[in-house]
Amino acid sequence: RTMKNVLLIFYYFPPAGGSGVQRGLKFAKYLPEFGFRPVILCADYRILKQPRDYTLLRELPDKVKIYRSFTLDINWFYKLLWGLKLNKIVNFLRRNVFIPDGEILWLPFAIHKLKKIMATNNINQVLVSVPPYSLIFLAKYLKKHYQIKVCLDFRDPWSFGIGRKYLKPPDWVTAIENRWEKEIVTRADQVICVSSVMIEEFRHLYPYLDKNKFVCITNGYDEKDFPVSFPPIRNAKFTIIYTGSFYDELQPDILWQAILELIQEGCLNPRKIAVEIYGRNFRNFVLGKYITDPILNQIVHFHGYINHRNSIQILRTADVLLLYLGSGEAQRAIVTAKVFEYLRSGKPILAIIDSSGAAADILKPANTAFIADSSSIHSIKETLGNLYRLWEEDKLQTEPNWDYIQQFERKALTAKLAEVFSALEQ
């Protein structure tokens, strides 16, 4: 059968690192097995203020064409302003000037590259992945100038998402962004979301659109990233591992409070617990008001960014994996990508999340998560105390529901994307 070209537009793409690049990478890796040849458009990683992970490039088939275009990464400028303690200026720019986000500076360069791609690659379908939400204008541009089917891929919600709640933009910005979202969701041929909660929200917002316009393709794990077994282990200390970044609303003071209270109450031995955090994190942000606490400084250790392959190896060394998501309406639709690799590891997961949200829906049937409500100190203490007791008695193990977990394998998820592309061809 002949391969059909599809254009995938992701702002971040390997060798840029971080969890956000996995989705684009794995789609590009597996699409050829389903009859589609990916052509990638992304921002030039050499300019981005983003960690690098060159190991990821090895996963791509040789023939994948990658077009990288110049961008002005506003994050370097923000970093300079933060360094000068001019946080208010950064907030002003983010809320009032760079709308919907600083990546709007990429658009003229991306469009220049798009014209070249469209002229030379026989493409009639495109997947545009957001955030950055500025990329909707590339979807709009393609709709206007080329007879092309456009799939919009929402990795995070926009109008009802956490970013908006956190930034609190002025009303006029909210109104204009809502209008942009409505327009692009209406005009796109298909809207893909990473959680079913997100789809419910969209259907609620745009009840006049065909229900079948929205398709759920979650994030997942790649079986090939797990070449070794993950035997249950018991460390000399009760070891909690977190991979990834804490940011914005994900400041975990409530977790530190729970640990300290359990220690005071004699339910946790401070010499027998360790929290290991891997990823781009700022110690004073993560520890918050507990930054000088002598006990926590003995318990919590920061390790910096590690590449994807190592981040999976690190999971093997945990007694428990930590998942932390805030609570509240804006968090309900969020499912971070790490959830699926945590599930595949089969390890116990301490999931401090909104117990009625999308992440909880995905975790519950897997039988590996101990869920605590992220808005309740009581719930967090009870769950953490219970895990520690099981560990002390050497009874901490899980019986993962592998039949359920396997549906989140990246190859199976890419097959779903290929079905979307095939249906749009009809």
Side-chain angles (χ1 to χ4, degrees):
R1 70 185 183 198
T2 53
M3 295 276 261
K4 300 197 170 74
N5 290 345
V6 289
L7 175 61
L8 307 181
I9 303 181
F10 280 83
Y11 185 76
Y12 293 108
F13 195 79
S19 60
V21 305
Q22 291 295 320
R23 187 171 178 87
L25 170 70
K26 303 300 184 181
F27 282 160
K29 177 178 177 177
Y30 289 118
L31 273 171
E33 298 187 27
F34 303 100
F36 292 95
R37 183 187 293 112
V39 176
I40 314 293
L41 172 62
C42 57
D44 190 332
Y45 65 93
R46 290 169 299 194
I47 305 158
L48 298 176
K49 188 182 174 302
Q50 187 77 355
R52 313 270 165 89
D53 184 350
Y54 293 98
T55 63
L56 298 175
L57 285 175
R58 292 179 216 151
E59 297 187 31
L60 285 171
D62 297 338
K63 299 199 172 58
V64 173
K65 283 189 192 170
I66 303 178
Y67 293 84
R68 304 182 190 277
S69 87
F70 178 81
T71 187
L72 295 161
D73 189 350
I74 194 74
N75 292 306
W76 294 107
F77 182 53
Y78 289 164
K79 186 180 182 185
L80 176 72
L81 293 175
W82 279 323
L84 297 168
K85 300 278 190 282
L86 298 173
N87 299 23
K88 283 192 171 141
I89 296 180
V90 175
N91 289 338
F92 178 82
L93 292 172
R94 287 178 68 190
R95 291 173 54 187
N96 301 276
V97 180
F98 294 109
I99 301 164
D101 42 53
E103 286 77 14
I104 197 151
L105 297 172
W106 183 49
L107 295 188
F109 309 103
I111 285 174
H112 180 72
K113 198 68 94 173
L114 256 186
K115 289 175 180 168
K116 182 181 167 188
I117 293 171
M118 296 306 291
T120 54
N121 286 286
N122 185 23
I123 283 167
N124 38 26
Q125 295 206 22
V126 62
L127 176 87
V128 180
S129 191
V130 297
Y133 302 106
S134 294
L135 273 58
I136 62 156
F137 296 109
L138 298 178
K140 205 170 148 180
Y141 174 85
L142 286 164
K143 271 297 231 197
K144 184 176 171 185
H145 294 280
Y146 302 91
Q147 303 310 303
I148 186 169
K149 300 281 191 186
V150 172
C151 292
L152 215 53
D153 176 47
F154 279 91
R155 301 190 317 282
D156 284 317
W158 186 8
S159 64
F160 49 92
I162 189 72
R164 172 157 309 168
K165 181 182 162 210
Y166 180 70
L167 258 188
K168 302 185 182 68
D171 291 348
W172 68 270
V173 171
T174 300
I176 199 170
E177 288 188 353
N178 288 355
R179 199 175 77 229
W180 287 340
E181 178 183 276
K182 180 179 180 177
E183 182 188 1
I184 199 64
V185 166
T186 304
R187 292 185 64 189
D189 296 282
Q190 193 87 56
V191 178
I192 296 169
C193 301
V194 295
S195 75
S196 47
V197 172
M198 214 189 291
I199 289 181
E200 282 164 33
E201 293 277 1
F202 272 131
R203 285 179 177 161
H204 175 69
L205 274 175
Y206 310 115
Y208 49 86
L209 292 176
D210 180 355
K211 276 191 162 58
N212 297 324
K213 181 167 213 169
F214 302 97
V215 180
C216 181
I217 301 181
T218 63
N219 280 311
Y221 68 89
D222 187 345
E223 189 57 44
K224 289 205 169 81
D225 290 337
F226 288 82
V228 284
S229 64
F230 275 61
I233 56 166
R234 187 173 182 276
N235 291 300
K237 284 185 178 184
F238 177 61
T239 303
I240 300 172
I241 285 181
Y242 179 89
T243 59
S245 304
F246 288 97
Y247 51 88
D248 295 358
E249 306 261 307
L250 296 186
Q251 200 289 328
D253 268 358
I254 193 166
L255 171 61
W256 311 137
Q257 182 190 343
I259 288 174
L260 291 173
E261 288 185 14
L262 286 167
I263 289 168
Q264 277 161 359
E265 291 159 18
C267 305
L268 266 186
N269 179 343
R271 287 185 298 281
K272 283 169 76 176
I273 176 172
V275 180
E276 310 291 340
I277 296 175
Y278 293 84
R280 294 171 79 195
N281 286 292
F282 296 101
R283 186 188 189 95
N284 37 353
F285 174 78
V286 178
L287 291 175
K289 65 183 183 199
Y290 296 98
I291 181 72
T292 56
D293 186 280
I295 297 174
L296 282 177
N297 278 302
Q298 295 288 305
I299 291 173
V300 184
H301 311 119
F302 291 85
H303 299 276
Y305 177 77
I306 49 173
N307 71 29
H308 185 248
R309 185 164 297 172
N310 289 341
S311 77
I312 286 183
Q313 293 294 343
I314 288 293
L315 302 182
R316 301 180 72 196
T317 64
D319 291 299
V320 168
L321 299 171
L322 170 64
L323 179 67
Y324 185 84
L325 293 170
S327 57
E329 217 26 63
Q331 289 277 13
R332 279 192 64 241
I334 303 273
V335 186
T336 52
K338 70 168 80 61
V339 165
F340 304 96
E341 287 169 348
Y342 278 15
L343 284 178
R344 171 58 185 82
S345 76
K347 296 265 179 184
I349 300 168
L350 167 58
I352 302 175
I353 58 179
D354 181 332
S355 46
S356 68
D361 290 348
I362 283 173
L363 288 168
K364 282 170 187 163
N367 287 348
T368 63
F370 294 72
I371 294 176
D373 182 347
S374 53
S375 61
S376 158
I377 183 75
H378 172 74
S379 172
I380 296 168
K381 283 172 66 178
E382 189 176 29
T383 310
L384 179 56
N386 177 30
L387 280 164
Y388 180 76
R389 265 194 315 280
L390 288 168
W391 171 83
E392 266 203 309
E393 295 164 9
D394 203 6
K395 290 181 182 159
L396 179 56
Q397 53 234 149
T398 59
E399 290 186 16
N401 177 352
W402 291 117
D403 288 343
Y404 168 77
I405 292 168
Q406 275 154 5
Q407 69 180 302
F408 301 115
E409 212 283 310
R410 290 279 189 188
K411 192 168 162 181
L413 296 166
T414 307
K416 284 175 89 169
L417 178 61
E419 278 171 30
V420 169
F421 286 148
S422 299
L424 286 180
E425 282 178 349
Q426 309 307 323

